[in-house]
Amino acid sequence: MNGDVVHLYKDPDPTPGPGSTAAEGPTLTIVTGAPTKPVLPLWVRSGRAVRAAVTHEQTRTAARALVRHSLYVAGGTRIVARRAWDGRTAARYERMLRAAEAAGNMEAAAEWEERGQRFREARHRRRMDLLHSPLDAAKGAAVSAGMGIGGLVLLGIAMAVATKDPADVVTPLMAVVKFINLMITIVRVVWGPALTIGPFLALLALWSVGAHQKAAPQWALPPNARSGEGEPITPSIVVKALRDLGIPALRKAIAEMGDAGASMLSPIVIAGCGVEVDVTLPSGVSTNEVQQRRRKLAENLSRHEHEVFITIPQAARTVRLWIADSGALDEPIGPSPLVTDETLTANYKTGRAPWGQDLRGDAAALSLYQRHLLLTGLSNQGKTAALRSLALWAALDRTVQFRIADLKGAGDWAMFTGLATVLIQGPADEHVIAATEMVESMVEEMNRRIEIRRTNPAAVFDPLIGIVDEAQVAFMCPAVDEDKRPYGGAKATSRYFMAVRKLHNQGRVVDVLMWEGTQDPTNENLPKLVREGAHTRGSLALGTESQARMALGDKAVDGGAAPHLLRQGLDKGTLVVASDGIAIPKGQSSITVRTHFISDDDAHTIADRAKALRDGVTTLHTIKRDDAERDPLADIASVVGDASRVRTQEVITRLAGLNTEAYGKWSFLDLKRVLEGTGAEPYKSDGVMVISRDRLTRALANRDTDGSASAS
């Protein structure tokens, strides 16, 4: 049948038809053809239609609207009734009294008790006055009526005298009677419609109150009212957010407070691009319980997690909430003053580097004076830019000297050529070796300064800042020297580690400072003794809380510092700083700073301004350590470079950078001994001892001439 379906139907009625016999019995009918869709019963089709109609979005929207507006009326009635009750009774004072007692503020509790007592006394006096008021009112009405009628009669007499018509005596009285009759007529006309419309107006007023307070469940509110994104922060919103954190003790305490938790909050104040409020937690709720629920608190406040910061102020059992305006932290903060103000200069000792803005929108400036520095964070979060901006500001102080090792080697520090006496760039082992020798030369310079300080306690030195960017490369370097001492690692034999530790221990007092930038810190690539030796510690976005503790220390993290909650890739340049060199709100252990970004082009421009303040600096790209015999006069001429004259102290520092073994322990006496009799001896200019480039050039020329004559 070519795939046709066969259907067999049995005739349920065996009654024979015309022309048939009863013996034939039931019959079978064979129907062939293509399959047909079965026809569903009517009740099934009707049920599906009803379900589709009920679940349709328009039906659900209409149902939500009906429920919402109905509950607006009920909620408005409840709110108005509570307001009326509070106005007529001492319930408000009782709530505030219980809230103050729950918060442990006995002074406030006593004040609210006194206010409640004064309210009751005033209410009692009003009620007692009501007992006498009907009689007083009747007397007053009688007197007023008598005086009123008497006045009208006198007025009528005056009119009658004037018009010489005795009928005018009652004219004022009749005018009053007619006016009263008119008022009665108006009331009779308006009274019926007022009785009809009045209830509807009352319902409309109650609905308005409920709609304004959104007195309906969240699911019944329209989508734009449910989201709450960008909604201003009010005390009720903060209390609701805290109540719904999932802390049973906090929820119970708020429910028991007569003011529904309002007494927990300080006044909400505007703080930069957000608001700030202190929350005094009730007994039984710890601050870390709130800190651990930062994401939930942010969502309860209709904010993203990165828009809410929780810190611990000085007051006991208190958390400080800073809540950003929705989307405000995604906006740029503007250019650095180093870029916009070409006349800006720096003072290493007394000045502060303009680094960025804190969350309040106030300028965040960092003091660099005698402070070792450590910045860390994940890769590509703005660590080098933040570190470089501090160095660019310091470079505007002509007394500051730099030795820099960029172990990334991407050219981020290239603009310091001509500013830094040493600039090493590259990630290979030989670059780590050079960087290690650079730090060791700084240790020798530190020791030389300490020796001078022992003999001359009043000696003052120019600041020397050593910068190692991507320092984790140095700590993880597997290279060893000829004595089998490793350059990397964190052992007592590790050369880089020990050099950094020595600088941390004693370098500050003679202004030899160590700045390091690392990424993705671990105990292996950032040893504990090194990270704890830094006076200023800053962290950009990190992956875990344990890394945040490595970067900033336990105290800062326990106090609310949370670089691990910064958004990788979105919060570039935002770092959490723990330092006494920056203004931190009282009671806090850290501050969040959004740093200014300085592009490479702007950095070159700033560096050119810094170079213009100097006589000229010869930049070495390696630290030479060889056993060949040195020519001190030629080396002095090479480090002086193109400058017309250079201070003797700076010449000694540059010589140590040129060759530590030969010149690392030099003092002014050694320099004077070498130059004595050459015609290039140090001399005083503007009150400081300097060496002249021209005199050195002549001394070398004369020496070469004398040498040639002797040879001939």
Side-chain angles (χ1 to χ4, degrees):
M1 291 183 287
N2 298 327
D4 290 344
V5 180
V6 178
H7 299 277
L8 301 178
Y9 294 95
K10 181 177 180 181
D11 189 354
D13 186 7
T15 306
S20 63
T21 63
E24 292 178 356
T27 61
L28 292 176
T29 304
I30 300 177
V31 179
T32 62
T36 60
K37 185 176 181 179
V39 179
L40 296 174
L42 178 60
W43 66 271
V44 175
R45 297 197 303 272
S46 301
R48 290 185 176 180
V50 171
R51 180 181 179 184
V54 170
T55 58
H56 194 274
E57 184 61 29
Q58 291 183 352
T59 306
R60 298 173 66 180
T61 302
R64 281 197 298 266
L66 178 62
V67 172
R68 178 170 66 251
H69 292 293
S70 300
L71 292 178
Y72 279 168
V73 176
T77 304
R78 176 178 53 82
I79 294 170
V80 170
R82 182 165 184 173
R83 290 175 180 174
W85 178 257
D86 288 344
R88 300 286 296 178
T89 67
R92 176 185 295 109
Y93 302 96
E94 293 293 337
R95 286 200 306 271
M96 301 302 293
L97 173 62
R98 290 196 298 270
E101 290 176 344
N105 192 345
M106 295 297 107
E107 294 181 2
E111 181 180 355
W112 284 112
E113 184 178 12
E114 182 181 355
R115 289 185 181 184
Q117 186 62 32
R118 289 200 300 267
F119 172 82
R120 293 186 184 93
E121 291 176 357
R123 183 181 60 185
H124 176 71
R125 286 196 300 270
R126 290 194 301 271
R127 289 177 176 175
M128 294 303 295
D129 291 341
L130 288 176
L131 297 177
H132 306 283
S133 59
L135 181 60
D136 294 339
K139 291 180 179 179
V143 172
S144 299
M147 293 178 62
I149 294 173
L152 291 173
V153 170
L154 290 176
L155 179 61
I157 293 172
M159 291 177 61
V161 172
T163 60
K164 299 180 180 180
D165 185 0
D168 286 342
V169 174
V170 296
T171 298
L173 288 174
M174 295 306 298
V176 172
V177 171
K178 291 180 179 179
F179 176 76
I180 295 173
N181 184 52
L182 176 62
M183 291 297 101
I184 294 173
T185 303
I186 293 175
V187 170
R188 292 177 59 187
V189 172
V190 174
W191 184 255
L195 289 178
T196 304
I197 300 175
F200 294 100
L201 294 177
L203 288 176
L204 181 61
L206 295 174
W207 175 90
S208 178
V209 173
H212 181 72
Q213 298 292 333
K214 293 184 174 59
Q218 286 291 316
W219 59 267
L221 296 175
N224 58 347
R226 288 198 303 269
S227 65
E229 186 170 352
E231 186 177 4
I233 299 300
T234 62
S236 61
I237 290 177
V238 176
V239 171
K240 289 178 182 177
L242 294 169
R243 182 195 63 192
D244 297 337
L245 273 183
I247 304 176
L250 180 58
R251 186 181 185 90
K252 182 179 179 181
I254 292 175
E256 292 176 351
M257 292 181 184
D259 62 347
S263 61
M264 297 192 305
L265 308 183
S266 69
I268 298 177
V269 296
I270 297 176
C273 58
V275 296
E276 189 174 80
V277 59
D278 286 353
V279 181
T280 302
L281 301 175
S283 178
V285 182
S286 62
T287 55
N288 65 336
E289 288 183 282
V290 178
Q291 282 184 301
Q292 293 169 0
R293 292 167 171 81
R294 176 183 173 184
R295 173 175 293 182
K296 190 170 185 179
L297 177 61
E299 292 173 350
N300 290 348
L301 293 168
S302 301
R303 295 294 190 271
H304 297 290
E305 184 178 11
H306 71 278
E307 294 175 330
V308 174
F309 288 81
I310 306 173
T311 54
I312 309 300
Q314 192 173 16
R317 214 172 67 236
T318 302
V319 293
R320 178 168 294 161
L321 306 180
W322 185 85
I323 307 161
D325 298 336
S326 185
L329 294 183
D330 296 327
E331 299 294 330
I333 65 171
S336 168
L338 295 175
V339 177
T340 58
D341 186 0
E342 296 183 356
T343 64
L344 184 68
T345 58
N347 188 307
Y348 159 78
K349 186 174 182 180
T350 61
R352 290 176 178 264
W355 210 6
Q357 293 180 359
D358 62 15
L359 296 178
R360 290 172 167 265
D362 299 329
L366 180 68
S367 172
L368 308 178
Y369 179 63
Q370 293 187 343
R371 289 180 176 87
H372 300 299
L373 178 69
L374 172 66
L375 293 186
T376 187
L378 298 177
S379 178
N380 194 31
Q381 297 304 302
K383 167 179 52 60
T384 297
L387 187 61
R388 188 177 66 182
S389 67
L390 296 177
L392 287 170
W393 177 83
L396 295 176
D397 183 341
R398 65 188 308 272
T399 65
V400 177
Q401 304 170 28
F402 294 97
R403 299 183 189 180
I404 300 174
D406 175 15
L407 299 183
K408 179 165 51 177
D412 294 332
W413 296 87
M415 69 289 301
F416 278 82
T417 300
L419 283 175
T421 55
V422 177
L423 179 58
I424 300 164
Q425 300 181 90
D429 287 350
E430 56 265 28
H431 298 108
V432 174
I433 294 172
T436 302
E437 293 174 345
M438 180 194 79
V439 178
E440 289 175 339
S441 71
M442 293 178 61
V443 174
E444 294 175 358
E445 170 66 15
M446 175 190 71
N447 293 333
R448 186 188 68 81
R449 294 185 178 190
I450 291 175
E451 288 296 327
I452 296 175
R453 182 67 64 82
R454 287 177 181 173
T455 58
N456 182 13
V460 178
F461 306 101
D462 289 340
L464 172 60
I465 299 176
I467 301 174
V468 179
D469 196 9
E470 306 297 341
Q472 77 279 355
V473 177
F475 286 112
M476 300 302 291
C477 179
V480 295
D481 62 11
E482 60 274 8
D483 297 327
K484 304 300 182 182
R485 292 181 61 196
Y487 287 93
K491 298 180 180 179
T493 56
S494 301
R495 292 181 57 178
Y496 179 81
F497 169 74
M498 291 305 299
V500 172
R501 286 291 301 136
K502 290 175 182 177
L503 290 179
H504 281 176
N505 289 337
Q506 295 177 297
R508 182 187 66 83
V509 295
V510 289
D511 290 297
V512 179
L513 305 178
M514 189 69 195
W515 293 4
E516 291 181 288
T518 69
Q519 64 173 258
D520 202 12
T522 64
N523 285 322
E524 289 73 27
N525 64 26
L526 186 59
K528 184 175 187 292
L529 292 177
V530 170
R531 60 182 185 249
E532 291 186 351
H535 304 97
T536 296
R537 299 166 72 173
S539 176
L540 295 102
L542 288 173
T544 63
E545 182 179 334
S546 62
Q547 288 183 317
R549 293 183 179 276
M550 291 180 190
L552 300 175
D554 291 337
K555 180 180 179 180
V557 175
D558 291 339
H564 55 289
L565 297 181
L566 295 173
R567 301 167 298 168
Q568 183 177 1
L570 296 177
D571 289 325
K572 283 187 177 182
T574 300
L575 49 80
V576 183
V577 183
S579 172
D580 61 350
I582 193 170
I584 297 178
K586 187 176 180 180
Q588 295 181 201
S589 56
S590 64
I591 187 171
T592 302
V593 177
R594 303 171 68 198
T595 58
H596 297 293
F597 174 72
I598 300 177
S599 66
D600 289 345
D601 292 339
D602 290 334
H604 279 280
T605 302
I606 298 169
D608 290 340
R609 286 169 24 210
K611 293 172 187 177
L613 300 175
R614 290 165 166 78
D615 293 328
V617 176
T618 301
T619 300
L620 304 178
H621 295 280
T622 185
I623 301 295
K624 295 183 179 180
R625 290 178 178 267
D626 52 40
D627 297 328
E629 185 177 352
R630 307 295 308 181
D631 183 350
L633 189 60
D635 286 344
I636 293 172
S638 68
V639 298
V640 169
D642 297 331
S644 60
R645 59 182 182 272
V646 180
R647 289 180 298 172
T648 54
Q649 185 61 49
E650 189 167 345
V651 171
I652 295 172
T653 301
R654 294 181 184 182
L655 286 172
L658 178 66
N659 190 289
T660 304
E661 292 182 354
Y663 305 115
K665 297 182 179 180
W666 267 35
S667 65
F668 174 75
L669 295 177
D670 298 310
L671 182 64
K672 183 178 179 181
R673 174 179 51 80
V674 170
L675 296 177
E676 190 173 1
T678 64
E681 294 87 351
Y683 65 96
K684 184 169 289 188
S685 175
D686 296 330
V688 295
M689 298 300 292
V690 298
I691 296 174
S692 171
R693 179 195 62 189
D694 295 336
R695 294 183 182 185
L696 281 172
T697 303
R698 286 196 300 269
L700 285 171
N702 293 336
R703 187 188 68 173
D704 294 340
T705 302
D706 294 342
S708 300
S710 299
S712 62

